[in-house]
Amino acid sequence: NLKAAMVLCEPVGRLERFFMEHFWCYPDMEEARRLGMVWWRPEDAKCMSSARSMLLDRRFVSFSTLEPHRVPLTRLFQDRLKVMHQEHLRENPEKFYAELATFLGAHEPFSKDIVFRKYNSRGG
């Protein structure tokens, strides 16, 4: 009876973030890694200095797609997978978390005193 939730962001923002974290040529790569701006880079990936170079590199598109993950998760979890959009979280965090908690089996509503804050470790 395991359940899973997947929160999706809009594809252009996701693509941009993926590019900045994995392919952008930072002037000081070691400093960028230390600050958490770069954390993993595919072995065959080259450093890119423009969005144009990213769009011309077919390998980049294969790294940025969600589809290979969504299909097996949907098959595995079926009606036990809740897919939500990140924008829903931004617009109404109380409703977002209430829907998620209900899906996961919570029966009591959140206290009126709870403040749903945004924490973003990457700053993007």
Side-chain angles (χ1 to χ4, degrees):
N1 291 334
L2 181 66
K3 293 182 178 183
M6 184 172 14
V7 180
L8 305 177
C9 60
E10 53 88 17
V12 174
R14 183 172 184 273
L15 188 66
E16 177 187 39
R17 183 179 182 138
F18 190 83
F19 174 67
M20 295 303 291
E21 290 178 348
H22 303 291
F23 294 91
W24 180 249
C25 294
Y26 288 92
D28 184 342
M29 190 61 75
E30 289 306 313
E31 179 69 2
R33 278 193 180 95
R34 189 182 70 71
L35 294 172
M37 297 162 70
V38 176
W39 60 273
W40 171 81
R41 186 162 282 182
E43 285 186 26
D44 64 342
K46 63 182 184 217
C47 181
M48 298 180 187
S49 57
S50 73
R52 183 178 188 280
S53 61
M54 168 196 65
L55 294 173
L56 295 174
D57 189 331
R58 304 284 298 153
R59 293 174 304 156
F60 184 76
V61 175
S62 70
F63 285 118
S64 64
T65 183
L66 175 68
E67 197 62 16
H69 306 291
R70 185 193 61 79
V71 172
L73 284 172
T74 303
R75 282 190 195 127
L76 179 65
F77 288 99
Q78 299 173 10
D79 63 340
R80 295 172 294 124
L81 175 66
K82 181 151 185 83
V83 179
M84 302 175 83
H85 197 279
Q86 187 181 47
E87 193 62 30
H88 184 184
L89 173 60
R90 284 190 194 110
E91 290 173 359
N92 193 337
E94 293 83 3
K95 184 176 178 186
F96 178 92
Y97 284 113
E99 288 178 12
L100 182 57
T102 300
F103 170 74
L104 294 173
H107 300 288
E108 297 293 323
F110 289 106
S111 166
K112 299 289 184 201
D113 300 336
I114 290 181
V115 176
F116 295 92
R117 300 184 196 279
K118 177 184 176 188
Y119 296 95
N120 189 342
S121 63
R122 297 267 183 200

